[in-house]
Amino acid sequence: MEKMKLKMLYSDLKSDIDVIEKELETALNSSSHMINDASLHLLQAGGKRIRPVFVLVSAKFGQYNIDQMKNIAVPLELIHMGSLVHDDVIDDSDMRRGRRTVKAQTNNRVAMYTGDFIFARALEYVTSIENPRVHQILARTMVEIVNGEVIQIEDKFRVDQNLKDYFRRIKRKTALLIESSCELGAVAAGVDPKNVRHLKQFGYYVGMSFQIVDDILDFVSTDRQLGKPAGSDLLHGNITLPIILLKDDPTIQRFIQRAEHGFVTEEERMAMLEVVRKSDAIKEAVKISNLYLKKAMKEVEALPNNPMKKKLRDIALFIGKRKF
Amino acid sequence: MEKMKLKMLYSDLKSDIDVIEKELETALNSSSHMINDASLHLLQAGGKRIRPVFVLVSAKFGQYNIDQMKNIAVPLELIHMGSLVHDDVIDDSDMRRGRRTVKAQTNNRVAMYTGDFIFARALEYVTSIENPRVHQILARTMVEIVNGEVIQIEDKFRVDQNLKDYFRRIKRKTALLIESSCELGAVAAGVDPKNVRHLKQFGYYVGMSFQIVDDILDFVSTDRQLGKPAGSDLLHGNITLPIILLKDDPTIQRFIQRAEHGFVTEEERMAMLEVVRKSDAIKEAVKISNLYLKKAMKEVEALPNNPMKKKLRDIALFIGKRKF
């Protein structure tokens, strides 16, 4: 269902997205079999390619040229892919009853270097762009994203965190790269500074809404829809928006303590999910996500007349209202 | 002893190396405690800083300016540091009887992201350099280094490899970054293309010799000198030059098979070391290292008159003749 919607949304950009898809295939080609296998897997898994799409749509407010834009869109998607690969490294899913197999160890090493390879390739693409501002924005974004990854580890199972901690975390985790996609597409296409700012802000707000929705879905979707147990975020100690809104609840507090020590039973997970789902926290979180979405729409309004304004709105709505 | 020699070698570059050391400290500062702790550890561990030194010495053949050169030297050392951090991730040393502790898992994740952070910082430094050729060389170098890391994993325990496989591997593992240090220092200082080529080739040959010596020392040094068991390379499946020269030896073949399955006893390690140490393979490997060193010296000869020619020779000799 969702895939259909996305296809329709992207329909008039299709040939340009195909160019990017082809370029991603080329970029991920290496002289190592293991990297190629890992990359092929990554390409076949697909992905929404939202970052490239935001580059293209933002660039359409200026001098649009796909041959130039692909050199922006491809590294942004590569940075996203590389960070996905690294997020999977040393994941619990590789653990067999606490023991790590030699194969899992090798896989982990290969995954780490595959991520490094993808980052290095991203860097290689960027060298073809002359504008030094593009380089600076991208480098800054990468530093902040990685910083965010470690802060996310530091904040794990920390119950004494507030909304500000959460927002700062999801900014780095998600919003920043979407913000940079919009900004870089616009900068490279020579959009005037005022509108670059609107597009950049739009990306930031959409990114925030996107991550909040993701964090909500982790509680309200079924295991099957998620492809993993619902509540996985909290099980791994990631304190997301619904939990911050619910942190004084005794069931939740106990759950976090038990999860930290790896003692959670299936019954406890179900009980936790019921508390979250029945609480006002979900409604509250949806409201906050919608506030970000509204702010994103305001930025679109401020942009000059252009058929792409509707596209930005449609994509934002699609992203902010996902329900699987 | 070695440290003293190095200090003397670097004496007339001291104030500039201090500038780089300070800049490295700044570069490694992040908003995450965990990254800062890991980085501090890395800085305190020191290091020979050969890559920065090669940047500076090469640049002295052109328009030398430390404020410009530090923006080349710092990212090169950061790339080296980042790859050291990643090499340590998921190392056997974290394993306790095959079981991985939660702490080791967290440490591994943090180490991975610390490496990513250091790479991203390197990238940030490079953005301050305008010359696009510098960017291209550096990006290409990173891609190749990472490719090499995975090929090293693919080649583990593979007995059917030849000298060419080995040379290609150590090129990527070590020689490339030293080659690029010389090349980039020279390019950024406006050295003429002919001499850039000599400096680049010099770096390549020195780097090859450096890694071969490292690989020899892993067999002929004591555990104490190495800070780890002698023969560790082969224990982990890394087939280095002395072993390639000895691969038909039945003790070595049996050792590799047993090491692959993690069955090596202390006696077997001692027996393997004795075979290697008593063989001609060590002498042969030293000879090959010296051939590279000789080629490096020839490149120095071809360079125009400059007090730095002696410095290049001295550093090359120091690197190629290490004995702890």
Side-chain angles (χ1 to χ4, degrees):
Chain A
M1 221 289 258
E2 289 289 299
K3 268 206 171 158
M4 282 279 292
K5 261 200 227 161
L6 204 64
K7 228 178 178 172
M8 273 172 56
L9 263 178
Y10 288 1
S11 58
D12 49 337
L13 296 164
K14 180 147 193 335
S15 69
D16 287 357
I17 294 175
D18 284 349
V19 170
I20 286 163
E21 204 68 36
K22 265 231 154 59
E23 200 66 42
L24 283 171
E25 269 176 51
T26 312
L28 291 176
N29 198 36
S30 112
S31 45
S32 148
H33 306 296
M34 281 177 164
I35 290 183
N36 286 341
D37 288 351
S39 301
L40 191 69
H41 186 77
L42 213 59
L43 280 170
Q44 283 170 345
K48 293 186 278 295
R49 310 283 184 248
I50 349 171
R51 291 148 201 88
V53 167
F54 278 135
V55 172
L56 302 186
V57 176
S58 298
K60 291 219 169 180
F61 286 85
Q63 306 292 322
Y64 185 87
N65 170 351
I66 180 65
D67 286 325
Q68 199 198 348
M69 283 315 137
K70 75 176 181 196
N71 290 331
I72 307 264
V74 167
L76 280 161
E77 187 68 8
L78 289 175
I79 291 172
H80 171 62
M81 284 175 154
S83 66
L84 283 184
V85 172
H86 275 187
D87 287 347
D88 276 345
V89 170
I90 328 171
D91 201 302
D92 286 357
S93 53
D94 289 336
M95 302 288 289
R96 300 250 167 76
R97 296 187 198 169
R99 280 188 102 252
R100 175 167 299 283
T101 58
V102 174
K103 195 170 166 302
Q105 263 192 70
T106 304
N107 289 347
N108 259 331
R109 277 201 97 84
V110 173
M112 187 178 67
Y113 290 126
T114 300
D116 287 357
F117 170 77
I118 296 173
F119 287 139
R121 268 286 198 251
L123 177 55
E124 223 184 350
Y125 267 86
V126 185
T127 59
S128 64
I129 302 159
E130 281 184 22
N131 189 338
R133 215 180 126 201
V134 170
H135 297 226
Q136 282 151 12
I137 294 169
L138 211 65
R140 193 78 221 124
T141 303
M142 277 189 79
V143 167
E144 283 307 308
I145 288 174
V146 178
N147 248 324
E149 301 270 21
V150 181
I151 290 173
Q152 178 161 331
I153 298 175
E154 290 173 350
D155 284 352
K156 267 193 183 179
F157 298 107
R158 253 192 58 210
V159 266
D160 63 328
Q161 53 185 296
N162 54 34
L163 283 174
K164 209 175 130 197
D165 294 317
Y166 171 76
F167 290 137
R168 265 176 41 196
R169 217 162 54 229
I170 66 169
K171 178 184 171 181
R172 284 170 159 154
K173 184 191 175 97
T174 307
L176 211 53
L177 199 57
I178 297 182
E179 171 187 315
S180 298
S181 300
C182 295
E183 185 181 12
L184 289 172
V187 166
V191 172
D192 67 293
K194 201 185 108 220
N195 292 318
V196 167
R197 216 164 48 244
H198 288 309
L199 285 162
K200 175 185 167 174
Q201 279 298 101
F202 167 81
Y204 167 70
Y205 291 132
V206 168
M208 294 296 278
S209 169
F210 180 65
Q211 189 55 50
I212 294 170
V213 171
D214 240 30
D215 292 342
I216 295 170
L217 290 175
D218 192 71
F219 290 105
V220 301
S221 302
T222 62
D223 298 5
R224 205 174 142 195
Q225 286 170 321
L226 289 166
K228 61 183 176 183
S232 282
D233 283 344
L234 192 56
L235 215 52
H236 292 105
N238 290 329
I239 314 278
T240 58
L241 185 52
I243 298 304
I244 289 179
L245 297 171
L246 259 177
K247 68 179 172 182
D248 296 328
D249 183 284
T251 312
I252 298 297
Q253 287 183 339
R254 211 177 324 115
F255 185 88
I256 294 172
Q257 274 175 22
R258 304 227 349 128
E260 186 166 10
H261 297 96
F263 288 149
V264 172
T265 65
E266 190 58 12
E267 288 72 40
E268 286 171 316
R269 184 174 71 91
M270 289 305 170
M272 177 275 286
L273 285 175
E274 215 189 309
V275 168
V276 179
R277 286 170 181 168
K278 282 194 176 162
S279 72
D280 285 336
I282 295 295
K283 271 181 240 147
E284 196 58 36
V286 170
K287 219 190 266 173
I288 294 174
S289 165
N290 286 340
L291 276 176
Y292 277 111
L293 220 49
K294 211 181 254 172
K295 286 186 178 187
M297 296 306 185
K298 267 206 172 148
E299 298 293 336
V300 178
E301 239 157 75
L303 286 165
N305 259 345
N306 186 310
M308 284 299 126
K309 283 177 77 165
K310 185 179 178 323
K311 179 74 67 188
L312 285 178
R313 275 193 211 102
D314 288 347
I315 301 176
L317 272 179
F318 168 81
I319 283 176
K321 302 284 184 191
R322 280 166 304 154
K323 287 201 180 80
F324 284 96
Chain B
M1 220 291 258
E2 289 290 296
K3 268 208 171 157
M4 284 279 294
K5 260 200 227 162
L6 204 65
K7 229 178 177 173
M8 272 172 58
L9 263 178
Y10 288 1
S11 58
D12 50 335
L13 295 165
K14 177 141 194 341
S15 69
D16 287 358
I17 295 175
D18 284 348
V19 169
I20 285 162
E21 204 67 37
K22 264 233 152 59
E23 199 66 42
L24 283 171
E25 269 176 53
T26 312
L28 292 175
N29 198 36
S30 111
S31 46
S32 147
H33 305 297
M34 282 176 162
I35 290 183
N36 286 341
D37 288 350
S39 302
L40 191 69
H41 185 77
L42 212 60
L43 280 170
Q44 284 170 344
K48 293 187 276 295
R49 310 282 185 250
I50 349 171
R51 292 149 198 89
V53 167
F54 278 135
V55 172
L56 301 186
V57 176
S58 298
K60 291 217 169 180
F61 287 84
Q63 306 293 321
Y64 184 88
N65 170 351
I66 179 65
D67 287 324
Q68 199 198 346
M69 282 316 138
K70 74 176 182 194
N71 291 331
I72 307 264
V74 167
L76 281 161
E77 187 67 8
L78 289 175
I79 291 172
H80 171 61
M81 284 176 153
S83 67
L84 283 185
V85 172
H86 275 187
D87 287 348
D88 276 345
V89 171
I90 329 169
D91 201 302
D92 286 357
S93 54
D94 290 335
M95 302 288 292
R96 300 249 168 75
R97 295 185 197 169
R99 281 188 99 251
R100 175 167 298 282
T101 58
V102 175
K103 195 171 166 302
Q105 262 193 70
T106 303
N107 290 348
N108 258 330
R109 277 202 98 84
V110 173
M112 187 179 66
Y113 290 126
T114 300
D116 287 357
F117 170 77
I118 296 172
F119 287 139
R121 269 286 198 251
L123 177 55
E124 224 185 346
Y125 268 86
V126 186
T127 59
S128 63
I129 302 158
E130 280 183 22
N131 189 337
R133 216 181 124 201
V134 170
H135 297 228
Q136 281 150 14
I137 295 169
L138 210 65
R140 193 79 221 124
T141 303
M142 278 190 78
V143 167
E144 283 307 309
I145 288 174
V146 178
N147 249 323
E149 300 271 21
V150 181
I151 290 173
Q152 177 160 331
I153 298 175
E154 289 173 352
D155 282 353
K156 268 194 180 180
F157 298 107
R158 253 193 59 211
V159 268
D160 63 328
Q161 54 186 297
N162 54 33
L163 283 174
K164 208 175 131 198
D165 293 317
Y166 171 75
F167 290 136
R168 265 179 39 198
R169 218 163 51 229
I170 66 168
K171 178 184 171 182
R172 284 169 160 156
K173 184 192 175 92
T174 306
L176 211 53
L177 199 56
I178 296 181
E179 171 187 315
S180 298
S181 300
C182 295
E183 185 181 13
L184 288 172
V187 166
V191 173
D192 68 292
K194 201 183 109 222
N195 292 318
V196 168
R197 215 163 48 243
H198 288 309
L199 285 161
K200 175 184 166 173
Q201 278 299 101
F202 167 80
Y204 166 71
Y205 291 132
V206 167
M208 294 297 279
S209 170
F210 180 66
Q211 189 56 50
I212 294 171
V213 171
D214 240 30
D215 292 343
I216 295 170
L217 290 176
D218 193 70
F219 290 105
V220 301
S221 302
T222 61
D223 298 5
R224 205 174 142 196
Q225 286 170 322
L226 289 166
K228 62 183 175 183
S232 282
D233 282 345
L234 191 57
L235 216 51
H236 292 106
N238 290 329
I239 314 279
T240 57
L241 184 51
I243 298 306
I244 290 179
L245 298 170
L246 260 177
K247 67 180 174 183
D248 296 328
D249 183 281
T251 311
I252 298 297
Q253 286 183 339
R254 211 177 326 115
F255 184 89
I256 294 173
Q257 274 174 23
R258 308 240 329 139
E260 185 166 10
H261 297 96
F263 289 149
V264 173
T265 65
E266 191 56 13
E267 288 72 39
E268 285 170 317
R269 183 173 72 93
M270 290 304 169
M272 176 276 285
L273 284 175
E274 214 189 308
V275 169
V276 179
R277 287 169 181 169
K278 283 193 175 163
S279 73
D280 285 336
I282 295 296
K283 270 181 241 147
E284 196 58 38
V286 170
K287 218 189 267 171
I288 295 175
S289 165
N290 286 339
L291 276 176
Y292 276 112
L293 220 49
K294 211 183 255 171
K295 287 187 177 186
M297 297 305 186
K298 267 205 173 150
E299 298 293 337
V300 178
E301 240 158 74
L303 285 166
N305 259 345
N306 187 309
M308 285 298 125
K309 283 176 78 164
K310 185 179 177 327
K311 178 73 67 187
L312 285 178
R313 275 193 210 101
D314 288 347
I315 301 176
L317 273 180
F318 168 79
I319 283 177
K321 302 283 184 191
R322 278 167 304 153
K323 286 199 181 85
F324 284 96

